[in-house]
Amino acid sequence: MNALVIAEHDNASLKGSTLNTVTAAALFGAQVHVLVAGHDCGAAVEAASKIAGVTKVIAVDAPHFGAGLAENVAEQVLSLAAGYSHILAPATAYGKSVLPRVAAKLNVAQVSEITKVVAPDTFERPIYAGNAIATVQSGDHTKVITVRTTAFDAATTTGSAAVETAGAVPDFGKSAFISRKLAKSERPELISARVIVAGGRGVGSAENFKILEPLADKLGAAMGASRAAVDAGFVPNDWQVGQTGKIVAPELYIAVGISGAIQHLAGMKDSKTIVAINKDPEAPIFSVADYGLVGDLFDVVPKLADAIA
């Protein structure tokens, strides 16, 4: 029984989500192989070979893999699929784009966003915005799985796996990479940040979101937001935390002016420590908070930032 993990990377380095996915794959008691499909991706291949628990890295280097187009990566996975009982990818935008194509062509049911491995064919996954946990058993010959990375610790990088070069499948030809615009920030990436300061509709405006910046700066935190704040145009879409945004589990999550709708809680309730600041003592966010502070955020947040200084 072998498990294949699809590495998420930018050709120069691995995304942290790959390390969490390897941890999940190792729980099957199988040999874990990692596929790195890219272009000029030697650095990512080397990083994958150092992941503890990985026994082999399959490197595929071709120009049409450079942008990570889901159609091409899926075809490469399919060319290798016969040798694996489990195929896994992180439940990120990348994994959610690649693996459904693989599952459809293998004629199997994908098991999405697992949070626990019960047995090699049995998994737990959240449903109803995280209000219930379903136990799912798959009888398919190949288990195609996306992994909610916040539910698994990151594998260490103390390994020394063998690297094998595989032939690249031809360009699928149904899509082409045109351009990519990257949002640059000196703050940590939201998904991997140790600390997140997030604001909600209660912050009031895009201008008012600046009141959170000194606190985030002093904590070395990423900044996030609820869907209500994003929909109101206060902040960019890529700040959104929640069921329809990014799923996070930092060591510290500070929710400011966020009431705590079910969809938002689904995206952050696994955070190690949650601090909620809200003027409404009945706000649902307090039900998951480790520490709650009832007060006016425009008074509390600056004082909190000053106290940290």
Side-chain angles (χ1 to χ4, degrees):
M1 184 167 62
N2 294 329
L4 179 66
V5 172
I6 316 306
E8 183 174 7
H9 63 91
D10 60 3
N11 294 308
S13 61
L14 291 179
K15 300 294 186 182
S17 57
T18 301
L19 303 181
N20 305 85
T21 305
V22 166
T23 297
L27 296 175
F28 300 127
Q31 288 199 31
V32 178
H33 299 171
V34 173
L35 169 65
V36 180
H39 183 48
D40 292 334
C41 56
V45 170
E46 182 180 357
S49 71
K50 295 179 180 178
I51 303 175
V54 173
T55 55
K56 182 168 70 175
V57 176
I58 302 172
V60 182
D61 196 314
H64 55 277
F65 288 122
L69 292 178
E71 294 86 350
N72 288 333
V73 177
E75 289 300 309
Q76 188 67 50
V77 174
L78 288 165
S79 73
L80 303 168
Y84 296 95
S85 57
H86 298 76
I87 299 174
L88 304 93
T92 58
Y94 177 77
K96 291 177 180 180
S97 185
V98 173
L99 281 200
R101 303 170 192 274
V102 173
K105 290 199 170 184
L106 291 177
N107 195 29
V108 300
Q110 178 178 301
V111 183
S112 300
E113 300 209 30
I114 67 166
T115 55
K116 183 178 180 180
V117 175
V118 179
D121 64 348
T122 307
F123 320 96
E124 289 185 359
R125 61 179 301 272
I127 58 174
Y128 304 132
N131 286 302
I133 301 297
T135 300
V136 180
Q137 187 173 40
S138 171
D140 289 324
H141 54 86
T142 304
K143 313 318 189 256
V144 177
I145 301 163
T146 60
V147 176
R148 180 169 287 193
T149 55
T150 56
F152 298 90
D153 294 333
T156 61
T157 53
T158 56
S160 56
V163 176
E164 174 185 296
T165 301
V169 299
D171 188 342
F172 193 62
K174 297 293 185 181
S175 63
F177 175 72
I178 303 300
S179 65
R180 176 180 289 127
K181 293 182 179 180
L182 298 177
K184 295 183 179 180
S185 173
E186 295 181 358
R187 300 188 187 281
E189 186 179 0
L190 188 59
I191 290 288
S192 58
R194 294 176 57 251
V195 181
I196 294 173
V197 176
R201 195 197 327 250
V203 177
S205 69
E207 183 67 23
N208 287 346
F209 252 82
K210 293 179 180 178
I211 199 172
L212 306 184
E213 292 179 359
L215 178 60
D217 290 340
K218 290 172 181 177
L219 293 172
M223 290 188 66
S226 67
R227 177 171 179 172
V230 170
D231 287 349
F234 298 167
V235 293
N237 290 345
D238 58 358
W239 284 27
Q240 184 179 329
V241 173
Q243 185 181 15
T244 54
K246 295 178 179 176
I247 308 296
V248 300
E251 293 180 18
L252 174 61
Y253 187 91
I254 302 178
V256 182
I258 295 175
S259 63
I262 290 173
Q263 291 80 2
H264 185 76
L265 299 185
M268 46 66 71
K269 66 181 182 181
D270 290 330
S271 303
K272 305 303 183 289
T273 301
I274 299 171
V275 176
I277 301 171
N278 201 293
K279 66 181 180 181
D280 178 8
E282 302 299 323
I285 191 71
F286 289 122
S287 68
V288 298
D290 298 286
Y291 301 94
L293 181 55
V294 178
D296 184 342
L297 68 89
F298 298 102
D299 178 51
V300 169
V301 172
K303 288 181 178 178
L304 182 57
D306 290 342
I308 292 173

